[in-house]
Amino acid sequence: SQKIEQNSEALNIQEGKTATLTCNYTNYSPAYLQWYRQDPGRGPVFLLLIRENEKEKRKERLKVTFDTTLKQSLFHITASQPADSATYLCASYSGAGSYQLTFGKGTKLSVIP
Amino acid sequence: EAGVAQSPRYKIIEKRQSVAFWCNPISGHATLYWYQQILGQGPKLLIQFQNNGVVDDSQLPKDRFSAERLKGVDSTLKIQPAKLEDSAVYLCASSLDLAEETQYFGPGTRLLVL
C-alpha cells in the first residue's frame, strides 16, 4: 500500500524566510498529491493540489512541486509570517479506482517573529 | 456556505463503554468520509460513503466500529465497546462527489477513553 513520508516532524524558521516542506511517497506514483493545513483543534483545510503530469503549481505565497523521479513533492511558503504557523499535511490520491486519500504525519511549522 | 458540522466536540468515556459521533456534511455533497487521527499522526480513513452506500470500509475495525448514513445526508459513527487505543480525534469530511478532489473537513470530535 502507498506510504506518505513527511520526514520533518517540526520546522522552525524566521519570519520573512521561505519554508520548504518535504513529502515523499513509496510504491506507485499517485494521480495527484494534495497539501492541507491543520491548526490545533481544527480539521485540515485544503491548500493546493498538483497532478502527476505537472511540475509546479502556485497560489499566492504558496508553491508546490512534484518530481516523479525522486518520488517527492516540495511545498514552499515564501515570505513566511507567524500566521503561517500550523501543521501541514501531504496526502496522496492514487486514482485507478481507489478513492482513498493517504495522509502523511504532517510537519509542524513554526514561524518565529 | 455552512461547513461540515460535527458533534459532540469532546467526549470522555471509560473503556468498554459505547459512544456515537454525528456528522452533517456540506449541503449537496454526495460523498462523506470518517477519519481517525491519533495524536501526532495524519488522518486515517475509516469509512467512505457515496450517498447512503459504503464505498470503502477496509480500514474500519468492524468488530467494534459501525457507521451509517441512512438518508444519504447525516452520518453517525459508533464505537462499541471502546478501547484505550480508540482515543483520537474523529474527523468527518465531505466532497461533492467520489472523484471530487477537494475534501472539506469538520472540526472533529476529540475522544478520550479512560
Side-chain angles (χ1 to χ4, degrees):
Chain A
S1 62
Q2 185 74 288
K3 285 188 179 178
I4 300 294
E5 295 170 347
Q6 294 183 253
N7 294 332
S8 298
E9 285 192 8
L11 179 64
N12 297 327
I13 63 163
Q14 210 67 33
E15 182 177 4
K17 301 290 186 185
T18 296
T20 299
L21 284 63
T22 304
C23 172
N24 293 289
Y25 59 90
T26 60
N27 302 331
Y28 51 83
S29 183
Y32 58 74
L33 288 166
Q34 295 185 336
W35 285 87
Y36 286 78
R37 169 181 172 142
Q38 188 171 26
D39 290 284
R42 294 177 175 262
V45 174
F46 172 78
L47 295 175
L48 276 172
L49 177 153
I50 186 163
R51 300 183 191 283
E52 187 179 18
N53 60 353
E54 296 173 319
K55 290 208 180 301
E56 182 180 298
K57 211 66 166 297
R58 290 175 185 261
K59 178 182 174 183
E60 298 172 352
R61 294 184 296 111
L62 309 180
K63 184 179 87 171
V64 63
T65 62
F66 195 165
D67 188 326
T68 54
T69 303
L70 294 177
K71 294 191 175 182
Q72 183 179 83
S73 174
L74 298 179
F75 177 79
H76 306 273
I77 306 175
T78 57
S80 59
Q81 304 165 0
D84 296 326
S85 298
T87 295
Y88 292 86
L89 298 161
C90 175
S92 156
Y93 178 81
S94 67
S98 166
Y99 299 104
Q100 270 200 32
L101 270 185
T102 301
F103 282 86
K105 291 182 179 181
T107 296
K108 184 176 180 180
L109 175 67
S110 296
V111 181
I112 303 161
Chain B
E1 176 182 81
V4 176
Q6 289 188 249
S7 69
R9 291 296 313 275
Y10 305 92
K11 191 76 178 178
I12 301 174
I13 61 172
E14 300 205 341
K15 60 183 178 183
R16 291 189 288 274
Q17 285 187 324
S18 62
V19 64
F21 312 127
W22 174 82
C23 172
N24 182 239
I26 292 173
S27 177
H29 280 197
T31 312
L32 185 146
Y33 315 78
W34 282 103
Y35 289 87
Q36 179 193 59
Q37 187 173 24
I38 292 171
L39 189 64
Q41 305 285 321
K44 183 184 89 171
L45 181 69
L46 293 175
I47 189 167
Q48 180 179 357
F49 292 94
Q50 176 69 359
N51 296 311
N52 60 351
V54 175
V55 175
D56 187 341
D57 63 357
S58 57
Q59 299 190 94
L60 187 74
K62 297 180 187 63
D63 57 334
R64 298 184 300 106
F65 285 65
S66 64
E68 59 184 15
R69 193 185 184 200
L70 291 176
K71 296 183 180 178
V73 181
D74 294 6
S75 177
T76 303
L77 176 70
K78 294 179 182 176
I79 308 175
Q80 183 181 6
K83 292 186 175 181
L84 297 178
E85 58 261 36
D86 298 331
S87 294
V89 176
Y90 291 85
L91 294 162
C92 179
S94 69
S95 62
L96 267 175
D97 210 333
L98 258 182
E100 174 61 30
E101 294 153 354
T102 303
Q103 295 186 21
Y104 297 85
F105 285 81
T109 296
R110 186 174 298 273
L111 173 68
L112 180 59
V113 182
L114 301 174

